[in-house]
Amino acid sequence: MILWYDFPMKKKIKVGLIGLGTVGSGVFKTLRNFDYIEVSKIAVRDINKPRNIEGLDKSLLTDNPYDVVNDPEIDIVAELIGGLDPAYDLITTAMKNGKHIVTANKELLAKRGEELFSTADEYNRVILYEAAIAGGIPLIMPIKTILAGNKINKIEAIVNGTTNYILTKMDVQGASYEDVLKEAQQLGYAEADPTGDVEGFDAAYKIATLSTITFKKRIKIEKIYREGITKIRSQDMKAANDLGYKIKLIASGKIDENGKADVRVHPMLVSKKSTLAHIDYVTNAVSLTGHPVGSITLSGPGAGEFPTASSVVGDILAISAELGTSDYILPMMRCRHAENADMTDISETENKYYMSINAKNAMGVIGKIGNICADNNISLASIVQKCVSDDNTADITVITEIANEKAMQNAVKLIEQDGNKVNSLIRVQV
Ligand SMILES: NC(=O)c1ccc[n+]([C@@H]2O[C@H](COP(=O)([O-])OP(=O)(O)OC[C@H]3O[C@@H](n4cnc5c(N)ncnc54)[C@H](OP(=O)(O)O)[C@@H]3O)[C@@H](O)[C@H]2O)c1
């Protein structure tokens, strides 16, 4: 067998896999290329399930994941089952038993990362999680190593392939959210219950961990403002295009000079001139801005068997290369962000807005909308009225200058009290 990479190891490194689904299968197949790594046990839910893995030695399989974490021979455990339970207890038990951890589990990291990293510290173990944020895109390792000399104060990212696929299709086909979702479900790009993706939970888990390591302060998942894509209409897509924008689900994070963080997930109009506007379908991208590097964007496949395996295997090899060399391996990759970030509430933020209003076709309606905005300290960058419909209403599209969120929400309320319907309010990239 021709090996991809031959590392001079005194003894084989034993790896235990928990999970042999999409990611686990890719990891198992890729690890076969490294003769100094031995996958010595694999936990699955159903041992008898047919698996598309040529030559899989069924004797490696167990349906008890504790067989993996309690095996004294295993050096590294890769947790690839997802969810909170039993993943949390399995990882904790494995660390207490002296194993280092690789995981792809974004939900677990976002919700219980603090406890896991403190257990890792206590037992002098490392937890690597490159696959958890944007599948195959190298992010964690670059941020923690080669970008370590930077003060990164801004992240803007597309980290959910399902929603990016839906928004791209809506844009390209002029189709409705509901129709595209159905199609995405048939093609396997969206789950039967798409809530985790379309309501922005998945992106929120990822930006929680990504902003924690980038800003070096713990960002609590419950403090992240989250809004999904279910209310985006094909009319908004068209209007955004006409104004020079695309609509994307953006996970973003900013930290100011006083250490106050603003972390959120919501749809956003992004200028067609920006890199993120051109990230389509299931591709993911993360833009980081800081000093001294300036702005960089990393993009690539955010999910899938082999792209995700690339990150998991990279983590396994990084740990393997250090095992036996020191009592304190991979110091730069450890998480020590115990201090919680002070977080800005969405109501205090300043944004530009796109607003789509269905208004009565009456004299002075545009003037009234303008007055309500002015009364709330909101300046308008543009206001455009489209043709009048049969019901004698007209669609009015507004783009504001930078305004306060609370003031904007108040203006929406007043515009509606005046007999109009605000169909959409979407923030605009600044
Ligand atoms: N799919 C991706 O592209 C992707 C990308 C980035 C991150 N991730 C993350 O990677 C993790 C795995 O995702 P996946 O897509 O590979 O999931 P998946 O295809 O559903 O596979 C899950 C695997 O875990 C096994 N499993 C589940 N519960 C178990 C238990 N209690 N004990 C033992 N084994 C158990 C299943 O066994 P059976 O095979 O017997 O059912 C299956 O092999 C998740 O945290 C996910 O968020 C996935």
Side-chain angles (χ1 to χ4, degrees):
M1 180 169 56
I2 298 169
L3 299 172
W4 292 3
Y5 176 60
D6 218 352
F7 204 84
M9 291 279 169
K10 287 195 195 84
K11 76 171 186 76
K12 279 198 175 193
I13 306 290
K14 292 204 176 183
V15 173
L17 302 184
I18 308 180
L20 194 60
T22 305
V23 180
S25 298
V27 170
F28 180 75
K29 291 173 194 168
T30 308
L31 282 176
R32 281 176 161 169
N33 297 306
F34 300 85
D35 77 337
Y36 62 92
I37 304 278
E38 178 188 341
V39 175
S40 59
K41 219 163 255 171
I42 307 170
V44 292
R45 205 167 13 206
D46 177 2
I47 293 185
N48 298 314
K49 188 168 162 179
R51 296 180 194 273
N52 182 23
I53 303 175
E54 215 176 290
L56 172 68
D57 175 359
K58 290 261 181 80
S59 72
L60 298 179
L61 301 183
T62 170
D63 56 10
N64 179 3
Y66 286 90
D67 287 348
V68 175
V69 298
N70 289 326
D71 183 335
E73 296 285 306
I74 287 176
D75 304 291
I76 302 167
V77 169
E79 180 278 303
L80 307 167
I81 57 176
L84 298 184
D85 295 314
Y88 175 82
D89 190 59
L90 288 167
I91 291 178
T92 305
T93 307
M95 289 194 286
K96 289 180 178 170
N97 286 337
K99 289 139 200 10
H100 297 284
I101 305 296
V102 176
T103 178
N105 194 333
K106 54 226 154 191
E107 180 180 6
L108 181 64
L109 290 170
K111 292 184 176 166
R112 304 198 67 181
E114 195 169 355
E115 297 153 82
L116 286 174
F117 288 110
S118 91
T119 306
D121 253 5
E122 193 183 339
Y123 290 87
N124 185 19
R125 300 295 99 186
V126 291
I127 306 174
L128 300 188
Y129 45 93
E130 191 65 74
I133 311 300
I137 307 177
L139 265 178
I140 311 302
M141 195 79 81
I143 289 171
K144 290 215 173 238
T145 58
I146 202 69
L147 292 170
N150 283 269
K151 186 165 173 44
I152 297 171
N153 51 23
K154 186 175 169 192
I155 310 166
E156 274 186 344
I158 293 173
V159 283
N160 182 270
T162 303
T163 46
N164 205 45
Y165 177 87
I166 292 172
L167 293 173
T168 306
K169 277 277 182 182
M170 285 175 71
D171 184 41
V172 171
Q173 296 178 346
S176 71
Y177 165 77
E178 289 77 14
D179 287 349
V180 175
L181 172 63
K182 228 175 278 163
E183 188 196 315
Q185 284 169 321
Q186 280 158 6
L187 290 170
Y189 289 133
E191 294 189 23
D193 176 2
T195 313
D197 293 315
V198 300
E199 295 293 358
F201 289 100
D202 176 80
Y205 298 149
K206 292 168 179 168
I207 195 72
T209 301
L210 184 58
S211 51
T212 295
I213 65 151
T214 306
F215 301 150
K216 302 182 177 68
K217 284 190 178 207
R218 189 151 287 287
I219 304 293
K220 295 271 194 188
I221 181 75
E222 55 275 14
K223 295 264 181 83
I224 295 179
Y225 176 78
R226 178 188 50 75
E227 204 181 294
I229 63 161
T230 57
K231 293 190 193 125
I232 305 289
R233 308 166 312 145
S234 50
Q235 297 95 311
D236 298 320
M237 284 285 176
K238 165 116 190 32
N241 259 295
D242 292 347
L243 292 159
Y245 297 95
K246 296 281 176 194
I247 301 179
K248 298 286 184 188
L249 183 70
I250 301 291
S252 66
K254 272 191 287 188
I255 190 153
D256 69 17
E257 280 145 24
N258 303 317
K260 203 161 183 192
D262 171 9
V263 182
R264 16 168 159 156
V265 173
H266 56 64
M268 200 186 257
L269 268 71
V270 295
S271 163
K272 285 182 190 172
K273 290 183 196 142
S274 82
T275 311
L276 293 184
H278 303 282
I279 303 300
D280 288 331
Y281 298 101
V282 293
T283 303
N284 282 198
V286 177
S287 296
L288 304 169
T289 305
H291 182 77
V293 74
S295 281
I296 54 170
T297 301
L298 298 107
S299 71
E305 178 180 358
F306 286 111
T308 313
S310 160
S311 292
V312 174
V313 169
D315 280 347
I316 291 172
L317 299 186
I319 295 171
S320 301
E322 303 266 311
L323 281 180
T325 64
S326 149
D327 289 340
Y328 191 71
I329 68 164
L330 293 165
M332 287 184 87
M333 296 306 296
R334 300 194 181 212
C335 184
R336 351 188 140 67
H337 317 310
E339 190 193 338
N340 289 332
D342 186 11
M343 304 268 296
T344 308
D345 187 80
I346 189 77
S347 63
E348 300 166 27
T349 62
E350 307 276 317
N351 308 282
K352 280 181 86 163
Y353 299 86
Y354 154 93
M355 177 165 51
S356 174
I357 307 164
N358 186 253
K360 292 166 292 182
N361 180 36
M363 279 280 280
V365 68
I366 287 192
K368 274 187 168 177
I369 291 169
N371 287 341
I372 291 172
C373 288
D375 290 348
N376 283 279
N377 268 332
I378 300 162
S379 300
L380 304 186
S382 79
I383 181 160
V384 180
Q385 178 174 338
K386 291 278 155 111
C387 49
V388 179
S389 321
D390 294 343
D391 62 357
N392 201 33
T393 62
D395 278 333
I396 296 171
T397 304
V398 174
I399 298 277
T400 73
E401 299 289 2
I402 290 177
N404 172 264
E405 172 81 17
K406 209 192 284 173
M408 192 68 228
Q409 296 294 349
N410 191 44
V412 167
K413 202 171 76 193
L414 295 172
I415 290 168
E416 293 211 315
Q417 277 172 8
D418 207 30
N420 309 298
K421 173 91 179 76
V422 176
N423 283 318
S424 305
L425 182 72
I426 307 173
R427 297 170 191 86
V428 179
Q429 186 183 41
V430 179

